[in-house]
Amino acid sequence: DVTGVEVYDTIFALAESPLEAGVLWAGTDDGLIHVSRDDAKTWQNVTPKGMPEWIRVNAIDASAREKGTAYVAATMYQFDDFRPYLYKTSDYGKTWKKIDSGIPDGAFTRVVREDPARAGLLYCGTERGLYVSFDDGGSWQPFPRNLPPVPVTDLTVKNGDLVVATQGRAFWILDDLGPLRQWNETIAGESVHLFPPRPAVRIQIETPDEEEQRPEPVGKNMPAGVLVDYWLRDKPAEGSRITLEILSGDTVLRKFDNEK
């Protein structure tokens, strides 16, 4: 009952396993986590040892790739504790691991989500923006991009995009998680890298005239056509020319550069 947040002892988070029928996770705003493996006929208290009393279990994400695995984000700011609290279990809550290294005190954690396509890729919404982990929560790094400084209250991955709900600054969508899913230390060490684009649909989303007539403030659709992402390790020197060519065999179909 999240409509009565001033009242304690309420179920605040509920997650159903996408892998196992009948496996349900429940978290409350008085600091308890329970799991059911028989479609809610019985429940077992699996609250992590050492998790503060009366902490709010704000979000639970049941893994879509490993049975018995779940991720939990909890908040304690109402007790003047602004530290992050993230936990992971791989055995239906018998044991838990704290996974908040790299998220600073003051950025208390509201939500954690597992990427459905890449193992170990996690997203976390905090009071101070978005964080990402490439090693299953072993370490985190800020991932603001052009997202303004804002509390992130919820996250979901939909059709390969990351949808971000904020407190006071609308919904945001990071189009195409492909480059993030492909990212690794090898790419980081390359001077230039071209990410394979995801399949695109030829469609006219919006004409330029319609875009100009759109009232403000209104969100913008992603551009029509194929989105091409690339990585440059170093900022190009002043006056240098960067060129991107799209080929069919030896025939240049389209050419782009930084002078246009």
Side-chain angles (χ1 to χ4, degrees), residues 64-260:
R65 60 177 60 256
E66 293 182 3
K67 294 180 179 180
T69 297
Y71 301 88
V72 168
T75 63
M76 198 68 177
Y77 70 92
Q78 289 158 311
F79 291 84
D80 292 329
D81 182 349
F82 301 97
R83 290 174 293 179
Y85 288 98
L86 296 177
Y87 299 87
K88 178 193 175 181
T89 180
S90 298
D91 53 12
Y92 299 95
K94 292 184 179 129
T95 60
W96 293 86
K97 179 182 179 182
K98 209 158 182 282
I99 54 167
D100 52 27
S101 178
I103 300 178
D105 292 352
F108 61 82
T109 45
R110 295 177 178 269
V111 60
V112 60
R113 300 293 181 203
E114 175 192 56
D115 187 276
R118 173 173 171 173
L121 178 57
L122 304 178
Y123 312 101
C124 179
T126 79
E127 181 67 6
R128 296 186 177 179
L130 185 64
Y131 282 75
V132 65
S133 172
F134 293 95
D135 55 5
D136 206 29
S139 60
W140 293 88
Q141 55 187 287
F143 192 70
R145 309 303 292 166
N146 65 330
L147 182 71
V150 65
V152 175
T153 56
D154 207 350
L155 299 166
T156 189
V157 177
K158 180 70 172 178
N159 297 332
D161 301 333
L162 181 65
V163 183
V164 180
T166 74
Q167 193 169 63
R169 293 201 178 184
F171 285 95
W172 291 71
I173 299 178
L174 176 62
D175 293 319
D176 189 8
L177 289 168
L180 204 59
R181 289 168 170 172
Q182 299 166 44
W183 183 259
N184 55 45
E185 293 183 0
T186 300
I187 294 175
E190 297 176 357
S191 58
V192 59
H193 182 84
L194 184 68
F195 294 97
R198 67 177 175 182
V201 177
R202 178 176 289 180
I203 183 174
Q204 180 66 56
I205 296 178
E206 193 171 39
T207 66
D209 289 341
E210 289 172 338
E211 186 172 348
E212 291 178 2
Q213 295 171 9
R214 187 196 311 114
E216 296 293 342
V218 174
K220 295 182 179 179
N221 289 321
M222 62 186 297
V226 178
L227 297 182
V228 179
D229 294 284
Y230 58 90
W231 155 257
L232 297 178
R233 186 181 58 195
D234 302 312
K235 183 178 179 180
E238 187 71 26
S240 62
R241 186 176 183 183
I242 307 298
T243 302
L244 172 66
E245 294 182 346
I246 298 176
L247 308 175
S248 176
D250 294 329
T251 303
V252 178
L253 301 179
R254 193 73 63 89
K255 183 176 181 180
F256 303 91
D257 61 50
N258 58 333
E259 295 181 357
K260 297 180 181 179

Side-chain angles (χ1 to χ4, degrees), residues 1-12 29 56:
D1 180 7
V2 296
T3 60
V5 292
E6 73 281 1
V7 181
Y8 275 110
D9 306 326
T10 60
I11 294 176
F12 214 82
D29 61 1
R56 175 189 289 171

